[in-house]
Amino acid sequence: MLIYQKMNDQAKRRILFVDDEPMVLKGLQRALRKMRDEWEMTFTSSSKEALDILGSGSFDVIVSDLRMPDMDGVQLLAEVKSKYPEVVRIILSGQVEQETTFKSVQLAHQSLSKPCDADILKHTLNKLFALRNLLEDESIKRIVSQTETLPSLPTVYTKVINELQSSEPSVKKVGEIISTDLGMTAKILQVVNSAFFGLVRKISNPKEAVMLLGTETIKALVLSVKIFSEFNQKKFAWFNFDVLFNHSLSVSMFAQTISKEEHLDQNLVNNSLMAGMFHDLGKLILVTNFQEPYRRILTEARETRQNLWDLENEEFGTSHAEIGAYLMGLWGLEYPVIEAIAFHHCPGKCLSKSTGLLTAVHFGDAYDRLKNSSNDQNSGNGLRQLDRGYLDNLGLANRLNDWQTVCKELTERKV
Ligand SMILES: [Fe+2]
Ligand SMILES: [Fe+2]
C-alpha cells in the first residue's frame, strides 16, 4: 500500500521516507510536520514503490527502515546507491536491529535510531547537505577536471573488501590476495614490523599480519600502501612521499587511540585508521598535477609559517582537505571519514556537534606536526593550529593533556 503525501510542493529538499509499518510512517509525519516549509516529504510503505517514486522525480534524501517484507532496507539502499548515487541515504533502525545496522553501514550515509526526533533528523540532514555543498564547489570540480592522475580504487583493495564481506570471510584468503602483489606485501610487512605497531615478534607474511593486526588495520594499510606506491618518487623529487606516508600513518594511529580514549562507537574506531591515513590525500593530487604552483606554495608555507591550506585556497580556491574528501567520496568511503578529511584543518566549520572522527584526526594531525615540526613539509605550528574554539564547544579542553599523553606513549613505542 502506498501512502503518498506531499506535504509541501514548494519546499527545497525532497525527502522520501520508507517504512512498512503504517503507524511508524504516521508518527514520522506527525513529528516532522513542522519541517514542511523546508522539506517536501513523501511517505511510502513499500521498498519497491520507493524505487518507482525515486525513478519518477529527483529526490535529495531517502530515509529507510531496515526490516521490510518485500525488499529489506539493505537491498533497497544498495539499489539506490547504484541507480541514484546522488541521493543521500539514511537508515532508521530500531534497537533490536543493531546487527543488521552494522551490515548497512556501508550503504547508508548515516544511521539513526527510532523513534526519530525531528531536530536530530534536521541536524543530520543539514550536516550532510553542508558537506555535499562544500564538495560540489566549482573550484574542486575545476581541479579534478584538470587532474590527469586521479587514483582509482585499487583492485587488490576491492578484492580484500569483497572477501571480508563474503558470507564466510577467510583470513587465509585475505592473506593470499595481498600476497599476489609483491611490492605491496613488502611495504606492508615493513610497516607492520616497525615498532609503531608494538608487536613482540616479527611478522613474515600477510596472513599473519591480518591475524595479529585485524582486518580494519589491514584494509587501511592495503589501500594506503597501494595508493602511495602509484606515485613515482623520481618524477617528483622535490616532494618526499615517504614523509607524507609516515605522517599519515602516525595520524591514523593517533586518531585511533583518541577514538578509543573517547569511547567512540566501534564503527568510528574502525574508520579512524582510514581517516588518518587519507587525511592529506589531496596533497598527492596537488603535487602530481600542479607541480609548479604547488611546489612554490609548499616552500612559501614553510618559509613564512603560513597555513598551507590558506595558501592553497588563495591559489586554487580550495585546499587539499576538500580535494581529498571529494576523492574519498568518489571511492564510496563512509561519511564520517569524508567529513573528517574535509574539515581536518577547520573543524569549526563542520556542523557536527559531537566528538567524532573529525576531532580525533584534527588532534592527531596537529600533534604529529608538533612532533615533527623540524622536518615537516608543512609549516610546523603544531598544537597552535588546534581549533581551540571547536574543542571548547565540545567540552574537550580538559582532554588535551590526556590525549597528548597517550599519543606520546605511542610515539615512544615507535622510536
Ligand atoms: Fe592536512
Ligand atoms: Fe596532515
Side-chain angles (χ1 to χ4, degrees), residues 279-280 283 309 320 344-345 365 378:
H279 75 285
D280 279 340
K283 285 186 185 176
W309 51 96
H320 68 269
H344 73 270
H345 292 297
D365 185 37
N378 195 350

Side-chain angles (χ1 to χ4, degrees), residues 13 88 109-110 123-137 140 321-322 325-326 328-329 333-344 349-352 358:
R13 302 291 184 188
V88 171
H109 291 100
Q110 191 92 41
H123 176 66
T124 303
L125 289 180
N126 285 343
K127 215 171 58 167
L128 289 164
F129 290 140
L131 183 63
R132 206 163 68 163
N133 290 343
L134 177 84
L135 300 183
E136 277 174 358
D137 182 83
I140 301 180
E322 293 91 352
Y326 182 88
M328 295 306 262
L333 272 99
E334 290 182 32
Y335 172 79
V337 175
I338 298 169
E339 181 183 76
I341 294 174
F343 296 104
H344 73 270
K349 289 187 181 164
C350 178
L351 297 178
S352 281
L358 171 60

